[in-house]
Amino acid sequence: MQNITTILKKLFYLWRRSQVPVKQPIKISRIDNLIIFLVCILISIISSYKRLLISPLSITDIFSWLLTFTEIFIISGILILVSKKENPTISSRQIIFILTLLLAVQATKIALASTISPLSMIIPPALIISQGMGSITALAWVSIASLSWPDQAVSINNYLFFILLVCASVVSLLGGRIRNRVQLLQLSIFVPIGSFLSQWILIGKDKISFINNQDFVLSNGDKFSDSLLLAIVMFFTILFIPIFESIFGLLTKARLLELADKEKPLIRRLSLEAPGTFEHTLLICGLAEEATRMIGGDIDLIKTGALYHDVGKLYAPNWFIENQDGLKNPHDELDDPIKSAQVLQAHVDEGLKFARKNRLPKLIANFIPEHQGTLKMGYFFQKAQEKNLDINEYYFRYKGPIPQSKETAILMLADGCEAALRAMNINASDKEALETISNIIYSRQKDGQLDDSNLSKGEIFLIKRAFLNVWKRIRHRRIQYPTSKNNTFS
Ligand SMILES: [Fe+2]
Ligand SMILES: [Fe+2]
């Protein structure tokens, strides 16, 4: 019996260790909470008030209204939870945006349910949500928007409802994966064609009219005009997506890939004015991408974040070792470790200024301070200790914050390993490389830098293997930095 208890305890311990630590929920201000609450109430009222317009009003009607009201209020809450689960860094502005879209659809249903096909009302918002907040949030939104109809008098054809669900789900799933505007455009052509053909096959071909019909847009049940309207609304949605991106801080795949274009002025400047930093950035992109692929994170996000993580070095490129060509080191002339530490911290502060000036999305700008976390600038701290043993470590630590996501944590680890892997002997064995990687990662872990990142032990193991794979790939085309193990700083 005691053996079974011990085994169960051990299993429970192993299970707990394998779980990803629970992340702190995002903080939403009281005013935003109040706005979210009021929008949810408004959605519930709009979705249920028609049940009170029956005369004479019976107790059963009031009960049915209350039930619908509560039901819509609860599912709006579930929608918020789903969006928070899929996007741990979602802002209150984005939550309000999703809810406002739901509110707009419910209001449109009341005003135009009998004249406009539900496909044109539900599919375009699903495309925006899937692009900006992911497929799961879009699917949750679609299920609420398709199931809740404020006007009981409107009954949708079963086949049309089926087509609506299929098309909206396809848009939600593909929308989250689409990587450029061309694919978006293709989606806005093929989904309406698909909906038209399926309506034609399932519902029948009667009532099909063509453009010579004067009010073709409003003709109810007209499959061709419904699909044409859907194509037009989807096309305009795609045109407006960049505006939604900037107003609500949405980060779509297309935007991420546009930012990752190496012809972007900031990246061009980095390659021309700080070529060493640019090379370092490219290698980090490779390390971080491989590690993120291994743990199943957001590859496009980390690739773009990595590209911009050190743009702050543009303000004084020659103060950073990778741009010095081994000739003059201004830190030697300065001979003041505290001031040198301030120069290093400035690459984070200036980077954030560059991010603001270039309107980089918050998720990308987060990589700038979080890749350094609160790490100790060991080289200058050691130099300062040589002069004064009692010097406070505080002056030699970056201001943070420590990585708040798996992606920024991976970038910190890649940033730490890059210089060491570059400086390694070309003949070093895989075991030696893995040992170097493990030591660097362990020192970050011990320093508490990964505490908020949600990286599990299993994921850290995979990250080490990924870095080793990249090291094996790059060792043949390695360029050595003018650094030794003891004076590495970045
Ligand atoms: Fe840096
Ligand atoms: Fe870096």
Side-chain angles (χ1 to χ4, degrees), residues 280 284 309-310 313 371 415:
H280 153 84
I284 282 195
H309 83 285
D310 268 344
K313 288 182 181 176
H371 87 275
D415 199 44

Side-chain angles (χ1 to χ4, degrees), residues 318-338:
N318 61 326
W319 285 79
F320 297 90
I321 194 92
E322 66 267 25
N323 298 315
Q324 285 168 3
D325 291 334
L327 299 169
K328 224 169 60 182
N329 185 350
H331 291 282
D332 293 340
E333 284 168 34
L334 186 66
D335 198 26
D336 184 343
I338 293 189

Side-chain angles (χ1 to χ4, degrees), residues 134-409:
S135 300
I136 311 281
T137 310
L139 283 173
W141 188 92
V142 163
S143 53
I144 298 172
S146 330
L147 291 171
S148 147
W149 287 83
D151 198 344
Q152 282 176 296
V154 175
S155 61
I156 315 171
N157 181 303
N158 277 347
Y159 288 120
L160 188 63
F161 185 68
F162 174 72
I163 294 165
L164 167 69
L165 279 188
V166 171
C167 288
S169 305
V170 167
V171 167
S172 302
L173 291 170
L174 292 180
R177 289 163 179 264
I178 274 177
R179 296 166 66 86
N180 57 50
R181 312 261 187 222
V182 176
Q183 287 176 331
L184 269 178
L185 217 57
Q186 286 170 343
L187 197 69
S188 80
I189 294 167
F190 290 122
V191 168
I193 291 177
S195 85
F196 172 68
L197 290 177
S198 34
Q199 283 185 73
W200 196 31
I201 293 163
L202 291 175
I203 305 172
K205 47 191 172 196
D206 38 302
K207 281 193 193 168
I208 288 179
S209 68
F210 293 95
I211 296 178
N212 57 11
N213 185 346
Q214 277 289 300
D215 38 296
F216 71 96
V217 165
L218 298 175
S219 54
N220 187 26
D222 183 335
K223 292 155 207 71
F224 181 77
S225 58
D226 282 351
S227 305
L228 187 65
L229 179 67
L230 175 62
I232 294 169
V233 180
M234 281 183 83
F235 179 71
F236 276 100
T237 306
I238 293 165
L239 283 185
F240 282 108
I241 282 179
I243 298 171
F244 292 129
E245 281 170 357
S246 65
I247 297 177
F248 298 99
L250 304 178
L251 192 54
T252 61
K253 291 263 179 220
R255 174 116 174 90
L256 269 181
L257 291 168
E258 273 166 16
L259 286 169
D261 181 3
K262 294 191 185 68
E263 289 304 312
K264 282 267 162 199
L266 203 55
I267 304 301
R268 278 296 293 156
R269 266 191 72 189
L270 196 69
S271 69
L272 294 171
E273 294 171 34
T277 304
F278 183 66
E279 273 302 310
H280 153 84
T281 300
L282 292 185
L283 188 48
I284 282 195
C285 278
L287 285 167
E289 185 188 342
E290 186 73 24
T292 312
R293 186 172 289 118
M294 274 268 203
I295 67 156
D298 191 336
I299 295 170
D300 296 314
L301 175 70
I302 201 159
K303 260 164 65 181
T304 315
L307 215 50
Y308 288 90
H309 83 285
D310 268 344
V311 281
K313 288 182 181 176
L314 269 175
Y315 89 105
N318 61 326
W319 285 79
F320 297 90
I321 194 92
E322 66 267 25
N323 298 315
Q324 285 168 3
D325 291 334
L327 299 169
K328 224 169 60 182
N329 185 350
H331 291 282
D332 293 340
E333 284 168 34
L334 186 66
D335 198 26
D336 184 343
I338 293 189
K339 283 213 171 113
S340 290
Q342 284 167 354
V343 173
L344 260 58
Q345 171 62 42
H347 97 275
V348 171
D349 302 336
E350 294 297 318
L352 286 171
K353 280 186 201 163
F354 276 120
R356 268 194 295 275
K357 239 190 246 167
N358 289 272
R359 298 177 62 84
L360 291 185
K362 193 170 182 302
L363 279 178
I364 298 299
N366 285 346
F367 281 88
I368 296 169
E370 290 177 27
H371 87 275
Q372 296 292 176
T374 55
L375 281 173
K376 192 161 70 182
M377 303 163 198
Y379 175 72
F380 292 117
F381 182 54
Q382 209 179 324
K383 279 214 151 195
Q385 272 188 323
E386 283 168 17
K387 292 183 178 183
N388 174 11
L389 263 179
D390 296 328
I391 189 90
N392 195 335
E393 200 185 274
Y394 167 81
Y395 299 110
F396 297 92
R397 277 198 181 266
Y398 284 99
K399 290 182 197 159
I402 56 172
Q404 300 294 305
S405 67
K406 291 183 183 185
E407 284 80 9
T408 52

Side-chain angles (χ1 to χ4, degrees), residues 20-26 84-85 87-89 370 402-408 451-455:
V20 174
V22 181
K23 200 176 159 94
Q24 293 284 317
I26 49 153
K84 276 189 184 178
K85 188 83 186 153
N87 307 277
T89 53
E370 290 177 27
I402 56 172
Q404 300 294 305
S405 67
K406 291 183 183 185
E407 284 80 9
T408 52
D451 288 0
D452 287 353
S453 70
N454 268 8
L455 280 176

